Amino acid sequence: MAMPSDSHPPSPPVIPGTVAVAACAAMAVSYVAVLYAPTLLLRLPPATSLRAFFHRRFVCAAFSSAASVIATASLLRVWSLSDSPKALAVFGFRSDHLLEAVVIPLLLTSLVYAGSFVARLWVMSSSCGRDDGEVGVGCTEKLARWMQASLQDVMVWRNLVVAPFTEELVFRACMIPLLLCGGFKMHNIIFLSPIFFSLAHLNHLFELHQQGCNFMRSLLIVGLQLGYTVIFGWYAAFLFIRTGNLVSPIVAHIFCNMMGLPAFSSPRTRGVTSVAFVAGSISFFYLLFPATSPKLYNAMLDGCSCWHGYCRWS
């Protein structure tokens, strides 16, 4: 949210690039390390159930995210901004243009999953209503059962609530302003900042090894995960910088976690999935810049090429 031309925000000090990178690295490490604090530091007994295990992790992730916000606010002297909405906007917490920030990135992201939609609709059309012969009733009942089970599933809360909100808060809302004020160019931040995001997933290698998975298999699984997180990190950073609203990468993160990897093909659909995937991907790249134009998400740009005047900060 840029400021009017006759009212410029107080300029926070330009922090050294090395300080910005060091702070981002520390946040990435702490985001993962704090997950093991209950047993390693607090000496609490191991969790007795999967639900209890993840409840501990939810608390740890919230604590780490809050610490990252406080550290970022201190380094950028966010407290010097004249009112709280401006301070919150530094982290992408904005109420203006909220509908655009939710709907447009969601529709844009869904284009990559055109093949997945075709494959799932194909399966649904052949499976709904098998029990009673009524497609409408069968689908409704299955949807209701799925929703009820999801609300009680701790993994759903992890993948669709806690992880998207805390990860985007730390790795986008905190790190990107630090790197921008550290003098890094936007295109460099988009392509380099996901490195911190992917490093935060290296703990999966240790966890897979603990579960008895052999090293090479664990390395392959984690390598694929890191590749996916880097690609998504590029997109999430792009959304955050272009829209200036944290809700945009959060919505994209939730949607991608819900859908999983895009479907490239399906033996059941006779090539229709592949055609839909290609068409959706082409449309995604064609609309990527027009659909994320800062003009759609900001009432006033003040001659500034980015949101909230960050390009003036450095």
Side-chain angles (χ1 to χ4, degrees), residues 23-36 64 171 175 196 199-200:
C24 291
M27 290 177 190
V29 171
S30 65
Y31 184 85
V32 176
V34 77
L35 298 178
Y36 303 94
S64 176
F171 294 96
M175 292 188 182
F196 300 110
L199 289 177

Side-chain angles (χ1 to χ4, degrees), residues 1-3 9 301 304 306-314:
M1 180 171 60
M3 301 296 158
L301 291 178
C304 188
C306 58
W307 56 275
H308 202 63
Y310 268 121
C311 59
R312 288 200 303 267
W313 287 23
S314 56

Side-chain angles (χ1 to χ4, degrees), residues 119 122-124 126-127 130 265-273:
W122 198 287
V123 172
M124 287 176 60
S126 60
S127 63
R130 282 181 179 174
S265 64
S266 174
R268 299 181 179 182
T269 60
R270 304 171 185 175
V272 178
T273 296

